[in-house]
Amino acid sequence: MKLQLIEPRAELKPFIGKIWVLESNGRLPEDDMKLIVPNGMVKLIIPVKNGLIGKYEKWRHRSKEGSITLIGISDTPAIVDIEHDNPHCNIGIEFYALGAYRLFHLPQFELKNKIFDLEDVIGNQARHLSERLVNIEKIEEKIEVIQSYLISQLSRSTPDLVVDYCLSQIVGTKGLIAVNELERKTGFSSRWLREKFTDKVGLSPKSISSVIRFMQFYEANANANMDFFKNELYTYFYDQAHFIKDFKRFTGMAPSKFMKTDNEFGHIFYKG
């Protein structure tokens, strides 16, 4: 597999975590888990060559070649595989939580742990965009068209200053800030913040903090001999039991079992 990272346009940098182009010669080996750990981001996937199959525990979706797929924010792991055992290429864009609600104008809880054709979510806009992309040959030009579309979406939205402030606090503390501290800093109750986050983010402040906290640890260790029991875990978790509980929640298995598996597809996104 080959992963190429693309620099977002300046207007989109505060809202996009990563743009990438992933190419492979065909399906991954059967013993590869193909597991994607939740990272607190909404995603757009465009299979340029070959299709993709994605599934959560209760949600399965086939992304056809040339379609545009919207993957909602998640707090459960997903399994992704290439549809046919042929060469494959797809474009992916990952959006920070403070960008997703600005770019996709709908309640984010409706997308949580689900995968959709973008056309089913926003209608003709997505169909026209998809038709335009199909008629463009170069990957770079496709990405430029997508970014232009996203900038136009951004211009038609306004930020929610309270949500954005809370997200900046959560990200800035690497998920370690307590909800009662957000209450103190904003003057709003935890119930009010939870309702706001459910609409704008799709996860409660506590849940997205857990995802971001876990990702700090997972990204740092996913390619470092998979030793998940280093002392650093106590920076992010109260104790080993807390760590194992979150690990099972976000990967679907215990750390000891996970370390014995092959997950090349899931790890490639944390390289470089």
Side-chain angles (χ1 to χ4, degrees):
M1 289 184 294
K2 176 185 175 184
L3 182 71
Q4 177 187 3
L5 299 180
I6 308 295
E7 187 80 5
R9 284 173 55 175
E11 303 97 313
L12 293 171
K13 280 188 176 181
F15 310 103
I16 290 180
K18 188 182 294 182
I19 301 176
W20 40 260
V21 178
L22 180 65
E23 298 177 85
S24 71
N25 293 325
R27 281 198 182 121
L28 292 170
E30 289 298 323
D31 58 356
D32 191 293
M33 285 196 301
K34 313 169 189 73
L35 184 141
I36 306 296
V37 174
N39 66 354
M41 296 190 191
V42 171
K43 302 171 180 65
L44 271 187
I45 307 294
I46 301 96
V48 177
K49 185 188 298 182
N50 207 335
L52 286 172
I53 302 293
K55 59 181 179 179
Y56 289 107
E57 184 178 3
K58 298 179 180 179
W59 195 269
R60 182 181 175 90
H61 182 83
R62 172 177 173 253
S63 300
K64 298 180 292 185
E65 180 178 299
S67 65
I68 304 175
T69 298
L70 178 62
I71 303 175
I73 196 167
S74 68
D75 59 0
T76 60
I79 301 294
V80 178
D81 200 2
I82 296 163
E83 184 175 18
H84 304 293
D85 192 8
N86 296 315
H88 172 80
C89 175
N90 70 69
I91 299 168
I93 305 176
E94 299 187 344
F95 302 91
Y96 296 125
L98 62 79
Y101 78 87
R102 296 280 309 274
L103 296 163
F104 306 104
H105 307 153
L106 71 169
Q108 293 300 304
F109 69 86
E110 294 181 356
L111 306 177
K112 177 187 172 184
N113 294 332
K114 296 177 182 176
I115 310 171
F116 300 90
D117 284 333
L118 187 61
E119 185 176 344
D120 292 339
V121 177
I122 63 173
N124 288 336
Q125 278 188 17
R127 181 168 57 82
H128 294 152
L129 178 61
S130 180
E131 289 172 352
R132 188 176 176 191
L133 293 175
V134 167
N135 292 319
I136 297 173
E137 185 174 346
K138 293 184 178 179
I139 295 291
E140 296 81 4
E141 293 179 8
K142 289 179 187 285
I143 293 173
E144 184 60 30
V145 166
I146 297 166
Q147 292 196 86
S148 295
Y149 165 76
L150 293 172
I151 289 169
S152 71
Q153 289 291 96
L154 188 62
S155 69
R156 292 196 289 270
S157 67
T158 56
D160 185 308
L161 298 180
V162 176
V163 169
D164 286 3
Y165 173 77
C166 290
L167 285 169
S168 72
Q169 292 293 304
I170 291 169
V171 172
T173 62
K174 300 181 179 180
L176 295 173
I177 191 169
V179 175
N180 60 7
E181 182 66 9
L182 292 177
E183 287 184 288
R184 187 187 69 79
K185 286 176 175 288
T186 64
F188 294 102
S189 69
S190 60
R191 179 178 178 180
W192 188 91
L193 290 173
R194 184 170 62 251
E195 290 175 352
K196 267 283 189 181
F197 266 63
T198 298
D199 180 49
K200 299 292 185 180
V201 177
L203 298 176
S204 69
K206 183 177 180 180
S207 289
I208 195 167
S209 293
S210 295
V211 170
I212 290 173
R213 184 172 61 244
F214 180 76
M215 284 310 301
Q216 299 297 321
F217 186 79
Y218 183 82
E219 288 185 2
N221 290 276
N223 295 296
N225 300 318
M226 303 293 291
D227 186 355
F228 289 111
F229 289 98
K230 293 180 178 178
N231 292 333
E232 289 92 329
L233 74 85
Y234 298 108
T235 302
Y236 303 103
F237 305 95
Y238 304 123
D239 52 31
Q240 195 172 100
H242 178 213
F243 164 67
I244 292 173
K245 179 181 177 182
D246 273 12
F247 198 99
K248 287 181 177 179
R249 175 186 175 189
F250 297 128
T251 69
M253 64 188 75
S256 56
K257 181 178 179 181
F258 189 91
M259 286 188 287
K260 297 175 182 177
T261 61
D262 186 5
N263 191 34
E264 181 185 359
F265 187 88
H267 293 158
I268 192 172
F269 299 100
Y270 306 117
K271 294 179 181 177

